[in-house]
Amino acid sequence: MTPFRSTFNHGRTGRKANDGLSGMAGITHRTAMAGKPAAADAAGEADKPVTGTAHAAGAVSKPGFKAATGTTHTAGEAGNGLRYLLPVILLTMVLASCMSPGPRPLRGFTVVVDPGHGGTALTDSFRVGPTGEREEWVNLRVSLHLRDLLEKDGARVLMTRTEDDFVELADRARLAVENQADVFVSVHHNATADTSVNFPIIYFHGNASQNKASVLLGRFIGRELAGAMFDGETPVSLVSDFAIFPTRGTGVLRGSYGIPGVISEASFFTNAAEEDRLKRNSYNRAEAEALHRAISAFLLSERPEARIIEPYEQRVEPLPVLEQAERMKPEALLWREDVEFGRSVMNELAMADVPIPDRESGTTGQAPSPGSETPMPGTGSTAFRVYELSTPLQDTVTEALHRLTRSVQSFPDSYLAREAHRMRAVFQEILGESPAAAQTRLRTHEFFPDTPVLEKPIPMQMQLPEDLTLSVLIQAPDGTELFAHQADRQVPSASVIKTPILVTLLQMAAKGDIDLSETYTLTEADIVGGTGDLQHEGPGLALSWLDYARLMIKTSDNVATNVIIAKVGMDAVNALTTSLEMDQTVLARYMMDTKAIEEGRQNYTSPRDMNRLLLALYHGRILDAPERALFWDMLKDCDDDTMLRAGVPPQYTVANKTGILSYVRGDSGVLFGQQDFIITAFAEDFNDVSRAEQAIADVVRSRVE
């Protein structure tokens, strides 16, 4: 069978929805931005929650529609105007090309981002967390961040909604079909009666063997969500939407079938701790960044399956499941216990030497061990074995089949559902229900595809020290998280804050607001203690702003830092971090200002914020080329070699800035080598500063080597 829809502009034949729908109503395109606190109150305080709908600001347009506005002109008027406007137009085009913000790898791709639900607060009491945060609010905040990230990379992004509005499912799908989208991603978050549950679920439409492109997209998304939101420590469920809606699947994926598309349920807002995280703008952005990485990896993938979607045909008989609201009932809480019971019965069969036929080969083998992968069935006929079990064992197998069926009906999309169906097939075979067993194996194959490791690994795990608190983020240049642990933890920044101070100075120099060659003479009031040698020079020393900047980074000189802060202003530094959505970063005091600390004014950041700044510099999104080169040269000249520099092989070049207070040690920078790394790490709650330095070096070494 040949694919009926090719992606990536290769002979598109986008299928039109034949549903007689009217035009897309109420779909707008608007920028949303969460407020940022002026200063944090205490060490380790998280960024402020963002509840309710996203606060929008900016112009409104309607993607996918042509505006008919303005004044009409005669042909003569148009010709005369064009004669005078042509030079201006050409000059504008030249300037625009010169000011291009760096690589735009997704140029030419169209992505439809669908914030799930919306406008149902008065009619829907189901999609709400323990403290009142509604799913549609979270979906929208994440989607707006995702839109901005994709657009920065050159993608054409269409939003199905940008406010808390209700949009019909068919309208959402039709937006993707009529615009011949390359990808459709519907952003959701999940709910269940078991409030301990929290893991990602990604849905594709139909059969895995026919919808290979969407399955691949789902694998990329699952990998990135697990790394960004769960430190890679959670299972991911990749499942057909027919598992939860057995007769037709989901309307939005059914309506857009033919376009690589998924519903991404990143986490469960019914989990109280997760609901609290989902209220936070930085966490929403981290999810959006994971989706951005996954979509980019899919669109740029050269895998053949990325371009294959075949027409859907029903291959699997429907298995009734509980309706979504019913899954909130107490019986849904037994889904794990039921699977555990099935595993115990598999063990019992193994101990009783009960042979299990392999439906693909027709041979007979031992009962598979609990949790193991059993083969997929063939469709040909096989001589079925008659099992002679003792009555108690047969009753036990019958009970196991019943409980496993209850599990997959109560929680049909759980990460245990695949294993549960495989065990169901075994028990059905033993009980003489071979046709049903064949259907169950086919269901497992089509609705619950495996999730092999793709080109890039999920974040690696390592043994972290227990005698201190680490917050770490290690990323590849494309943003892929290679290791993350408490990456959103807000920590006192110490001298790591000097990196955004330097960027602000260089930005103002590029604009002509500051002349780096201009000198400034130190006064008595400028002299402070701590790191650096300028404190020993005393007042009267005159240096250029460029020299002060070099000393601020090379020896972490506090005197140099403070005169630069006074020159550029704290507001300018905070404006920079706000523009980059470094939501947990704030410059609130000068170096060595203990009185400010006592008054609750502290400088803060997080590993994710610092990496966001470094990635923006790495990809040329901020600073012009001359200033950017100067920035990297300064960080490469940092004298502190105790953490990042101690943890990497000598063939790497390190550009970094460290920081130290009596209660925090940190390092943030880029490792340039055969493979580049962006790394920020902080240690707190330590008794020995050398132990903190060694812990950071060990984490870096374990990843880089």
Short mmCIF file of all heavy atoms in Angstrom, two decimals, residues 370-398:
data_model
loop_
_atom_site.label_atom_id
_atom_site.label_comp_id
_atom_site.label_asym_id
_atom_site.label_seq_id
_atom_site.Cartn_x
_atom_site.Cartn_y
_atom_site.Cartn_z
N PRO A 370 7.44 -12.37 33.94
CA PRO A 370 6.62 -11.17 34.08
C PRO A 370 7.31 -9.94 33.52
O PRO A 370 8.48 -9.71 33.75
CB PRO A 370 6.45 -11.05 35.60
CG PRO A 370 6.69 -12.42 36.13
CD PRO A 370 7.69 -13.05 35.21
N GLY A 371 6.54 -9.14 32.77
CA GLY A 371 7.07 -7.91 32.23
C GLY A 371 7.88 -8.08 30.97
O GLY A 371 8.32 -7.12 30.37
N SER A 372 8.10 -9.34 30.51
CA SER A 372 8.92 -9.54 29.33
C SER A 372 8.12 -9.30 28.07
O SER A 372 6.89 -9.29 28.09
CB SER A 372 9.49 -10.96 29.32
OG SER A 372 8.45 -11.90 29.17
N GLU A 373 8.82 -9.11 26.95
CA GLU A 373 8.18 -8.88 25.67
C GLU A 373 7.86 -10.22 25.02
O GLU A 373 8.75 -11.03 24.81
CB GLU A 373 9.11 -8.07 24.76
CG GLU A 373 9.42 -6.68 25.30
CD GLU A 373 8.22 -5.77 25.21
OE1 GLU A 373 7.56 -5.77 24.17
OE2 GLU A 373 7.94 -5.06 26.19
N THR A 374 6.59 -10.47 24.73
CA THR A 374 6.21 -11.70 24.03
C THR A 374 6.05 -11.39 22.55
O THR A 374 5.74 -10.27 22.17
CB THR A 374 4.88 -12.25 24.59
OG1 THR A 374 3.89 -11.25 24.48
CG2 THR A 374 5.05 -12.64 26.05
N PRO A 375 6.27 -12.36 21.66
CA PRO A 375 6.26 -12.08 20.22
C PRO A 375 4.89 -11.65 19.72
O PRO A 375 3.86 -12.01 20.28
CB PRO A 375 6.67 -13.42 19.60
CG PRO A 375 7.30 -14.18 20.72
CD PRO A 375 6.62 -13.74 21.97
N MET A 376 4.87 -10.89 18.63
CA MET A 376 3.63 -10.53 17.96
C MET A 376 3.12 -11.73 17.16
O MET A 376 3.91 -12.54 16.66
CB MET A 376 3.88 -9.36 17.00
CG MET A 376 4.12 -8.04 17.72
SD MET A 376 2.69 -7.50 18.68
CE MET A 376 3.18 -7.96 20.32
N PRO A 377 1.82 -11.84 17.01
CA PRO A 377 1.29 -13.02 16.34
C PRO A 377 1.37 -12.93 14.82
O PRO A 377 1.38 -11.85 14.25
CB PRO A 377 -0.18 -13.02 16.78
CG PRO A 377 -0.49 -11.57 16.94
CD PRO A 377 0.76 -10.94 17.47
N GLY A 378 1.39 -14.06 14.17
CA GLY A 378 1.16 -14.10 12.73
C GLY A 378 -0.33 -14.18 12.49
O GLY A 378 -1.12 -14.32 13.41
N THR A 379 -0.73 -14.13 11.29
CA THR A 379 -2.16 -14.18 10.99
C THR A 379 -2.57 -15.53 10.41
O THR A 379 -3.75 -15.77 10.17
CB THR A 379 -2.53 -13.08 9.99
OG1 THR A 379 -1.71 -13.22 8.82
CG2 THR A 379 -2.28 -11.71 10.60
N GLY A 380 -1.60 -16.40 10.17
CA GLY A 380 -1.93 -17.71 9.62
C GLY A 380 -2.47 -18.64 10.68
O GLY A 380 -2.46 -18.37 11.87
N SER A 381 -2.93 -19.78 10.27
CA SER A 381 -3.50 -20.74 11.21
C SER A 381 -2.40 -21.54 11.87
O SER A 381 -1.35 -21.79 11.30
CB SER A 381 -4.47 -21.68 10.49
OG SER A 381 -3.78 -22.40 9.49
N THR A 382 -2.63 -21.90 13.12
CA THR A 382 -1.68 -22.69 13.88
C THR A 382 -2.46 -23.72 14.68
O THR A 382 -3.56 -23.45 15.15
CB THR A 382 -0.88 -21.78 14.85
OG1 THR A 382 -0.25 -20.76 14.09
CG2 THR A 382 0.18 -22.57 15.61
N ALA A 383 -1.90 -24.87 14.84
CA ALA A 383 -2.56 -25.89 15.65
C ALA A 383 -2.53 -25.44 17.11
O ALA A 383 -1.45 -25.27 17.69
CB ALA A 383 -1.84 -27.22 15.50
N PHE A 384 -3.71 -25.20 17.68
CA PHE A 384 -3.76 -24.68 19.03
C PHE A 384 -3.57 -25.80 20.04
O PHE A 384 -4.16 -26.87 19.94
CB PHE A 384 -5.11 -23.98 19.29
CG PHE A 384 -5.35 -22.84 18.34
CD1 PHE A 384 -6.45 -22.84 17.50
CD2 PHE A 384 -4.46 -21.79 18.30
CE1 PHE A 384 -6.65 -21.78 16.63
CE2 PHE A 384 -4.67 -20.73 17.43
CZ PHE A 384 -5.77 -20.72 16.59
N ARG A 385 -2.78 -25.53 21.05
CA ARG A 385 -2.51 -26.51 22.09
C ARG A 385 -3.67 -26.54 23.07
O ARG A 385 -4.24 -25.51 23.42
CB ARG A 385 -1.22 -26.12 22.82
CG ARG A 385 -0.82 -27.12 23.89
CD ARG A 385 0.41 -26.63 24.63
NE ARG A 385 0.82 -27.58 25.63
CZ ARG A 385 1.66 -28.57 25.41
NH1 ARG A 385 2.18 -28.75 24.20
NH2 ARG A 385 1.99 -29.42 26.37
N VAL A 386 -4.03 -27.73 23.51
CA VAL A 386 -5.05 -27.88 24.54
C VAL A 386 -4.33 -27.94 25.88
O VAL A 386 -3.48 -28.81 26.12
CB VAL A 386 -5.89 -29.16 24.33
CG1 VAL A 386 -6.89 -29.32 25.47
CG2 VAL A 386 -6.61 -29.10 22.99
N TYR A 387 -4.64 -26.99 26.75
CA TYR A 387 -3.95 -26.91 28.03
C TYR A 387 -4.73 -27.69 29.07
O TYR A 387 -5.94 -27.53 29.23
CB TYR A 387 -3.82 -25.45 28.47
CG TYR A 387 -2.81 -24.69 27.63
CD1 TYR A 387 -3.19 -24.14 26.41
CD2 TYR A 387 -1.50 -24.57 28.05
CE1 TYR A 387 -2.28 -23.46 25.64
CE2 TYR A 387 -0.57 -23.89 27.27
CZ TYR A 387 -0.97 -23.34 26.07
OH TYR A 387 -0.06 -22.68 25.30
N GLU A 388 -4.02 -28.51 29.79
CA GLU A 388 -4.63 -29.29 30.88
C GLU A 388 -4.11 -28.72 32.19
O GLU A 388 -3.01 -29.05 32.63
CB GLU A 388 -4.29 -30.77 30.74
CG GLU A 388 -4.87 -31.40 29.46
CD GLU A 388 -4.53 -32.88 29.36
OE1 GLU A 388 -3.83 -33.38 30.26
OE2 GLU A 388 -4.96 -33.51 28.38
N LEU A 389 -4.89 -27.84 32.77
CA LEU A 389 -4.51 -27.20 34.03
C LEU A 389 -5.35 -27.75 35.16
O LEU A 389 -6.50 -28.18 34.96
CB LEU A 389 -4.71 -25.69 33.94
CG LEU A 389 -4.01 -24.94 32.81
CD1 LEU A 389 -4.38 -23.47 32.86
CD2 LEU A 389 -2.50 -25.12 32.89
N SER A 390 -4.78 -27.71 36.34
CA SER A 390 -5.59 -28.04 37.51
C SER A 390 -6.68 -27.00 37.65
O SER A 390 -6.54 -25.86 37.18
CB SER A 390 -4.72 -28.05 38.77
OG SER A 390 -4.23 -26.74 39.03
N THR A 391 -7.79 -27.40 38.26
CA THR A 391 -8.90 -26.47 38.41
C THR A 391 -8.51 -25.20 39.15
O THR A 391 -8.85 -24.09 38.71
CB THR A 391 -10.08 -27.15 39.12
OG1 THR A 391 -10.51 -28.28 38.35
CG2 THR A 391 -11.25 -26.19 39.31
N PRO A 392 -7.75 -25.29 40.25
CA PRO A 392 -7.35 -24.05 40.92
C PRO A 392 -6.50 -23.14 40.02
O PRO A 392 -6.69 -21.92 40.02
CB PRO A 392 -6.54 -24.54 42.13
CG PRO A 392 -7.05 -25.92 42.38
CD PRO A 392 -7.35 -26.48 41.04
N LEU A 393 -5.56 -23.72 39.25
CA LEU A 393 -4.72 -22.90 38.40
C LEU A 393 -5.54 -22.28 37.26
O LEU A 393 -5.33 -21.13 36.89
CB LEU A 393 -3.57 -23.74 37.83
CG LEU A 393 -2.54 -22.97 36.99
CD1 LEU A 393 -1.98 -21.79 37.77
CD2 LEU A 393 -1.43 -23.91 36.55
N GLN A 394 -6.49 -23.07 36.73
CA GLN A 394 -7.33 -22.51 35.67
C GLN A 394 -8.18 -21.37 36.21
O GLN A 394 -8.35 -20.34 35.53
CB GLN A 394 -8.23 -23.60 35.09
CG GLN A 394 -9.12 -23.08 33.95
CD GLN A 394 -9.62 -24.19 33.04
OE1 GLN A 394 -8.99 -25.25 32.95
NE2 GLN A 394 -10.74 -23.95 32.39
N ASP A 395 -8.68 -21.53 37.43
CA ASP A 395 -9.45 -20.44 38.04
C ASP A 395 -8.57 -19.20 38.25
O ASP A 395 -9.03 -18.07 38.06
CB ASP A 395 -10.03 -20.90 39.38
CG ASP A 395 -11.14 -21.93 39.20
OD1 ASP A 395 -11.66 -22.06 38.06
OD2 ASP A 395 -11.47 -22.61 40.19
N THR A 396 -7.33 -19.44 38.62
CA THR A 396 -6.41 -18.31 38.83
C THR A 396 -6.14 -17.59 37.52
O THR A 396 -6.10 -16.35 37.47
CB THR A 396 -5.09 -18.81 39.43
OG1 THR A 396 -5.36 -19.46 40.69
CG2 THR A 396 -4.12 -17.67 39.66
N VAL A 397 -5.93 -18.36 36.43
CA VAL A 397 -5.71 -17.74 35.12
C VAL A 397 -6.95 -16.95 34.69
O VAL A 397 -6.84 -15.84 34.15
CB VAL A 397 -5.35 -18.81 34.08
CG1 VAL A 397 -5.33 -18.21 32.68
CG2 VAL A 397 -4.00 -19.43 34.40
N THR A 398 -8.12 -17.51 34.94
CA THR A 398 -9.36 -16.81 34.60
C THR A 398 -9.47 -15.50 35.37
O THR A 398 -9.84 -14.46 34.81
CB THR A 398 -10.57 -17.70 34.90
OG1 THR A 398 -10.47 -18.92 34.16
CG2 THR A 398 -11.87 -17.00 34.54
#
